[in-house]
Amino acid sequence: KPGGKGKKSQGDAMLRAMRRARAKVRRLALSNVFSYFVTLTLSPEMVDRYDAAAIMKKVNVWLGNMVKRKGLRYVLVPERHKDGAFHFHGFFAGEGLEAVSSGHSDKQGHEIFNLPQWSFGFTAAIRLYGTYSQAVGYVCKYIGKQGGERPMGRWYYSGGDLMEPQKDYAVMDYRD
């Protein structure tokens, strides 16, 4: 029966998927040490910023090369601008990652860097500071920001030599 007991709606499934994605991004981000919070935007001269397939065709090659050649580790969450164009927020780390001062600072006075290796548009990178878990929460909020839409077909992208959370199991006497 439609709407009957025990019947899960498509909206419920989407909310569960969104929660799982946020939890996974949180676990990955808290299990690794990242250097920068990044925003990657796309130049219309380099790629059609509205075409998810065209973007990911280029971005996946770039990310793969950066992982292999520069040791990049990353977690990225796609987001749509109000005009429908895509961009990314997330975390980067890697020994071969180049960061050049942009000559600007954020409102708290922290230096903003550009990442010259990003060849598809514009970047803003800020060294992570303050409470790391708050930065992780800030990135996780972008998952599901547009409601039930998975921007670009996925909630997040991750790669490089990322560590998974360690689990320890203990056998304990419940009376203790």
Side-chain angles (χ1 to χ4, degrees):
K1 292 180 194 177
K5 285 191 176 192
K7 190 80 168 170
K8 300 290 181 189
S9 74
Q10 201 169 8
D12 290 341
M14 185 63 74
L15 287 174
R16 284 193 308 279
M18 193 170 39
R19 283 193 300 267
R20 281 192 310 270
R22 279 187 184 138
K24 178 68 176 191
V25 166
R26 185 176 308 282
R27 284 193 306 270
L28 283 173
L30 292 175
S31 298
N32 293 276
V33 177
F34 289 98
S35 305
Y36 296 97
F37 167 75
V38 298
T39 299
L40 307 175
T41 59
L42 301 156
S43 169
E45 291 81 29
M46 302 304 293
V47 65
D48 181 353
R49 303 172 337 140
Y50 304 92
D51 183 345
I55 293 167
M56 289 319 298
K57 185 176 181 180
K58 290 187 174 204
V59 171
N60 279 333
V61 170
W62 184 85
L63 288 168
N65 285 335
M66 288 295 291
V67 167
K68 282 187 224 169
R69 296 180 180 145
K70 303 293 184 179
L72 179 69
R73 295 181 312 280
Y74 66 92
V75 174
L76 290 172
V77 175
E79 182 191 17
R80 276 190 196 267
H81 285 285
K82 290 179 183 174
D83 71 354
F86 292 104
H87 65 280
F88 299 89
H89 299 283
F91 300 112
F92 273 4
E95 296 73 39
L97 185 63
E98 294 175 29
V100 177
S101 177
S102 69
H104 300 283
S105 299
D106 67 7
K107 292 176 185 175
Q108 290 80 30
H110 298 100
E111 189 172 18
I112 299 173
F113 296 90
N114 291 324
L115 306 175
Q117 293 160 320
W118 174 251
S119 55
F120 300 114
F122 313 98
T123 60
I126 298 176
R127 288 191 203 278
L128 288 165
Y129 63 89
T131 306
Y132 188 73
S133 61
Q134 286 179 329
V136 171
Y138 183 76
V139 170
C140 286
K141 83 174 177 81
Y142 285 106
I143 296 174
K145 185 176 174 184
Q146 279 101 19
E149 179 198 14
R150 283 186 181 132
M152 305 181 76
R154 293 179 62 178
W155 295 112
Y156 68 94
Y157 296 86
S158 62
D161 190 18
L162 295 177
M163 295 175 42
E164 290 285 336
Q166 297 296 312
K167 296 179 183 176
D168 293 327
Y169 295 95
V171 177
M172 300 176 64
D173 185 342
Y174 70 92
R175 294 172 292 207
D176 291 339

